[in-house]
Amino acid sequence: MALSTATSPVKVEMLDGDHLAFDCEFFSTGSVSFASCAYEGTFQCTRQAATGKVLIFLPKQGRAVFRLGEDELLSVPGKGTIIDGSTSTTTRIFGPRHHLGLFIDQRKIAKHLANMLECAVSGDLEFKPHMDLTSGPGLALMQLVETAYNGLRGDAPLRQSPMALASLGDAVTHLILEAAPHRYSDQLATPASLPAPRHVKWAIEFMHAHISEPISMDDIAAAARVSVRTLQQGFRQFRMTTPMAYLHEIRLTAAHRDLMNADEVQSVADVALKWGFTHLGRFAADYKKRFGVLPSQTLRGGKGPKEGL
């Protein structure tokens, strides 16, 4: 269940009796948060605003039911539940209930997956809602989250080590991508491809060196010292995309970085034009598909609510 915040309010309704009690603790490492939540009573919670996170619940005791549209997901020990925070969720808690929570920024997951696959990742990852917590990566995730939560309580040394916290966030993100089936699971299971040939590397280096300039496919091919056809084949085989789609992706990432760090006088149009996006409507649509929010929301600091679940 999610506790209510100003940016992500939750409506709570009693379902049986009038007894309700909870004890929740939350710790954040930036784009990854850990929680331990215990509840008494039978009640229903409805989240009334979307979040920019993937929400993972790891039950230790009791039962809960998550309603997503017409679907209902039973949450019990041994079975983890993963929910896209961009959808409206109603949760029924049947206490006594105790679960661990793991909440990861969707952009971090997409970036981590792109690094694992060595190619651009776009669109909804389409996580399956359940994961097995009794063996394999699911069990390892349960143990790691519990260890992390215990290591963040009080004055634990882990809280004093930014590098360790960053590594911990990467580790749980990696395990989520392995433990929970999603749209890219088959690609992750495929043996890693051979290292990209020199002409693909030269093309990528050229793109980064001239990222804000109006370069064409012919320019990239010339820098890579191959024909356009050979360059296209190389990117399809070793990066699973096209050269221009790859250039579009790194420009979007650069625009995102600028919007995250923009000063008060910069506008979305300024940033878009800097990185070669002349059609602002298309830029906004592509940006939202890639990062889950509009450019204007990032510019205003709209990086998603920091709610606890």
Side-chain angles (χ1 to χ4, degrees):
M1 141 180 160
L3 297 183
S4 185
T5 68
T7 53
S8 186
V10 172
K11 180 181 179 181
V12 178
E13 303 171 89
M14 297 300 301
L15 296 179
D16 184 19
D18 58 1
H19 174 66
L20 168 61
F22 64 88
D23 181 13
C24 299
E25 286 188 283
F26 304 93
F27 300 101
S28 176
T29 65
S31 55
V32 180
S33 298
F34 301 89
S36 177
C37 299
Y39 307 99
E40 296 285 346
T42 303
F43 53 96
Q44 176 173 288
C45 308
T46 303
R47 179 177 292 282
Q48 298 178 309
T51 78
K53 298 179 181 294
V54 171
L55 319 174
I56 300 101
F57 300 93
L58 310 172
K60 301 188 70 176
Q61 177 189 15
R63 182 167 61 100
V65 176
F66 298 95
R67 186 175 182 84
L68 302 165
E70 299 299 319
D71 298 324
E72 288 195 342
L73 311 175
L74 177 63
S75 174
V76 293
K79 181 186 291 186
T81 304
I82 182 166
I83 296 173
D84 181 350
S86 64
T87 60
S88 177
T89 309
T90 296
T91 307
R92 296 197 302 274
I93 300 285
F94 302 90
R97 161 79 172 185
H98 180 202
H99 64 237
L100 299 177
L102 176 62
F103 319 119
I104 309 177
D105 191 289
Q106 292 173 337
R107 292 167 295 185
K108 178 178 178 61
I109 294 180
K111 180 179 179 181
H112 196 89
L113 178 59
N115 290 337
M116 292 171 70
L117 293 174
E118 296 186 330
C119 69
V121 171
S122 63
D124 188 350
L125 299 189
E126 299 176 11
F127 280 105
K128 299 297 182 184
H130 289 307
M131 70 182 83
D132 179 14
L133 302 179
T134 63
S135 63
L139 177 60
L141 177 67
M142 183 81 176
Q143 294 171 338
L144 181 58
V145 171
E146 188 155 25
T147 299
Y149 170 77
N150 290 331
L152 288 166
R153 302 184 70 183
D155 296 323
L158 185 58
R159 302 188 71 177
Q160 312 305 319
S161 175
M163 292 185 64
L165 287 176
S167 297
L168 183 61
D170 289 342
V172 295
T173 303
H174 187 95
L175 278 174
I176 282 295
L177 289 168
E178 286 194 343
H182 51 81
R183 184 158 62 93
Y184 290 89
S185 291
D186 289 343
Q187 286 180 239
L188 282 179
T190 302
S193 60
L194 295 173
R198 287 185 300 173
H199 67 272
V200 173
K201 294 180 179 178
W202 287 341
I204 291 173
E205 290 171 359
F206 179 78
M207 290 182 198
H208 281 284
H210 301 273
I211 185 173
S212 63
E213 301 173 21
I215 56 177
S216 66
M217 176 73 83
D218 288 338
D219 295 329
I220 300 171
R225 306 174 193 175
V226 294
S227 68
V228 168
R229 183 181 180 186
T230 298
L231 183 66
Q232 290 174 323
Q233 290 175 336
F235 268 78
R236 280 197 297 269
Q237 181 177 358
F238 294 96
R239 288 296 180 264
M240 290 175 283
T241 187
T242 67
M244 298 313 289
Y246 191 96
L247 178 60
H248 183 78
E249 170 65 19
I250 64 174
R251 283 175 168 169
L252 275 178
T253 300
H256 174 65
R257 183 175 60 247
D258 274 9
L259 288 168
M260 292 278 285
N261 300 300
D263 57 39
E264 294 181 359
V265 300
Q266 284 184 293
S267 67
V268 170
D270 293 334
V271 173
L273 291 173
K274 174 183 176 181
W275 298 110
F277 298 101
T278 56
H279 191 295
L280 296 184
R282 188 175 300 120
F283 168 67
D286 290 348
Y287 187 95
K288 184 173 183 180
K289 182 178 179 181
R290 174 63 177 85
F291 299 106
V293 295
L294 291 170
S296 57
Q297 292 175 290
T298 301
L299 187 63
R300 294 195 305 266
K303 306 170 189 177
K306 297 181 179 179
E307 75 290 345
L309 301 171

